Amino acid sequence: MTGPTLAVEELDDRVVVTLRRPEARNAINAAMVRELHDVCTVLEERPRLLLLTGDGGVFAAGADIGELRERGRDQALQGINSRLFDRLARLPMPTVAAVDGYALGGGAELAYSCDIRLASPAAVFGNPEPGLGILAAAGACWRLRDLVGASVAKQVLLAGRRLDADDALRCGLVAEVVPAGDLLKRAHALLDRMARSAPLALRLTKLVADAPGGHPVTDDLAQAILFESTDKQTRMDAFLAGDRP
């Protein structure tokens, strides 16, 4: 699946995607959007964990400004980036972004769409779109608020504040700050921990956690499915027999 803008490694329990446009600091262009949609198709057809990262000490320095400059109202209404990021956020299994260096503009919104983010000390998150006469319209205006709260989100979106790794950790945007050389190793360790859980339980937990508003009936229905699963019986039998994870 590797293409001009991505390196894609498919493993049994996960897919590792590396953004790779070194000449543009991994800026998200139309070709990358298409390739990421292809990744989504693969993960929807065969659900697995996803690890997203960037090549060359940069996650993604934004959307491709040259392409944005030529887009008009019709392209905005197509939601070129926002539809992709929504699709990524709705993938059946958990997603992790390993962020080294800049995650700005559309690159930040791509990271926000993942379930969990890890960062290197060099990570920087920001949404400078109003300085270019536009807004962060691919999820940052509401996703960032949900992640860090309205006050910090408005500092980023309205006042141009950039969150370095320590800021991001303090406000809960990232789960951990890890030396750059260990970032992918730590991300894989996180995925290993997830992979030890029952896949169906992970899928339904993510589905219920992301359900708008939440509702006890949703919890009950998801649990009813899991209570009848073979995986639940096998895992609980092992636990009761003393084989405890």
Side-chain angles (χ1 to χ4, degrees), residues 63-137:
D64 190 294
I65 303 301
E67 289 188 0
L68 285 181
R69 173 63 181 80
E70 301 306 314
R71 291 179 186 173
R73 175 188 59 202
D74 291 344
Q75 288 74 35
L77 292 173
Q78 291 172 20
I80 294 170
N81 285 1
S82 64
R83 301 299 186 273
L84 169 64
F85 298 164
D86 284 348
R87 190 178 182 188
L88 282 164
R90 292 195 307 270
L91 285 174
M93 293 287 278
T95 58
V96 173
V99 178
D100 184 21
Y102 287 121
L104 301 177
E109 292 179 300
L110 175 59
Y112 302 158
S113 71
C114 291
D115 294 308
I116 299 174
R117 286 150 296 281
L118 302 181
S120 79
V124 179
F125 299 86
N127 289 98
E129 286 89 343
L132 295 170
I134 59 175
L135 62 84

Side-chain angles (χ1 to χ4, degrees), residues 133-209:
I134 59 175
L135 62 84
C141 285
W142 50 274
R143 209 170 257 134
L144 184 59
R145 179 195 63 218
D146 290 344
L147 291 170
V148 302
S151 177
V152 174
K154 287 182 178 180
Q155 292 172 48
V156 173
L157 296 166
L158 302 178
R161 178 182 175 186
R162 291 186 176 184
L163 302 176
D164 64 20
D166 289 338
D167 291 333
L169 182 63
R170 276 194 298 269
C171 67
L173 181 61
V174 303
E176 192 175 3
V177 177
V178 183
D182 296 329
L183 184 59
L184 289 182
K185 180 180 178 181
R186 192 67 61 89
H188 277 290
L190 173 60
L191 293 173
D192 290 342
R193 189 160 71 244
M194 292 180 180
R196 289 194 287 270
S197 294
L200 183 59
L202 278 182
R203 289 185 64 176
L204 289 178
T205 298
K206 177 173 176 175
L207 195 64
V208 171

Side-chain angles (χ1 to χ4, degrees), residues 3 5 12 14 32 47 75 99 106 108 111 120 122-123 138 153 165 232 242 245:
T5 74
D12 286 342
R14 72 198 62 176
M32 187 180 288
Q75 288 74 35
V99 178
S120 79
K232 174 247 188 182

